[in-house]
């Protein structure tokens, strides 16, 4: 998840995470690669990282994001990717017992 900070031109925008919260550094990104959400925070164009953090905390954007199905799906995917062989085995056995 990142926040659009500034518009460079019709096809590119500057986005920022901030890195400490989301792992996304400030960089330029093509609009084609973005998937917009309904979340909005009150910042001005070209806001600094400190202002962005304050706005995200004030509007509770990260909390709202973590409650969405999209964020839950990404978290589950990350959890599955980090599983060990034994954890995958236990998951397989649990699924067989449930079915």
């Amino acid at each position: 998840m990142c926040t659009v900070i500034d518009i460079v031109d019709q096809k590119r925008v500057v986005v920022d995470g901030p890195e400490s919260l989301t792992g996304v550094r400030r960089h330029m990104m093509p609009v084609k690669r973005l998937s917009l959400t309904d979340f909005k925070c009150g910042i001005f164009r070209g806001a600094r990282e400190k202002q962005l953090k304050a706005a995200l905390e004030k509007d509770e954007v990260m909390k709202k994001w973590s409650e969405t199905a999209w964020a839950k799906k990404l978290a589950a995917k990350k959890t599955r990717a980090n599983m060990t062989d034994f954890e995958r085995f236990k998951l397989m056995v649990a699924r067989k017992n449930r079915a």
Side-chain angles (χ1 to χ4, degrees):
M1 166 119 171
C2 62
T3 307
V4 175
I5 300 297
D6 199 358
I7 299 169
V8 178
D9 59 24
Q10 231 175 359
K11 295 188 176 190
R12 293 177 295 169
V13 294
V14 176
V15 296
D16 191 359
E19 190 173 8
S20 60
L21 291 177
T22 63
V24 179
R25 300 167 94 179
R26 184 175 288 228
H27 66 283
M28 200 170 359
M29 193 170 188
V31 175
K32 278 185 187 178
R33 297 207 49 207
L34 292 176
S35 298
L36 297 179
T37 63
D38 293 331
F39 305 122
K40 185 178 172 185
C41 64
I43 57 170
F44 293 107
R45 190 172 175 179
R48 304 245 183 240
E49 187 173 345
K50 187 176 180 182
Q51 297 166 336
L52 177 59
K53 277 186 191 177
L56 289 175
E57 288 174 12
K58 180 182 164 214
D59 297 336
E60 298 180 341
V61 173
M62 297 310 292
K63 181 182 173 199
K64 292 175 188 173
W65 164 251
S66 63
E67 294 170 355
T68 63
W70 189 0
K72 289 176 185 174
K73 183 178 174 182
L74 289 175
K77 187 176 180 181
K78 184 178 179 181
T79 303
R80 273 188 244 112
N82 293 330
M83 282 181 145
T84 62
D85 188 38
F86 185 60
E87 289 170 335
R88 284 192 294 274
F89 173 75
K90 288 194 300 187
L91 178 65
M92 180 195 69
V93 169
R95 282 187 176 168
K96 282 185 179 180
N97 289 338
R98 188 175 62 187

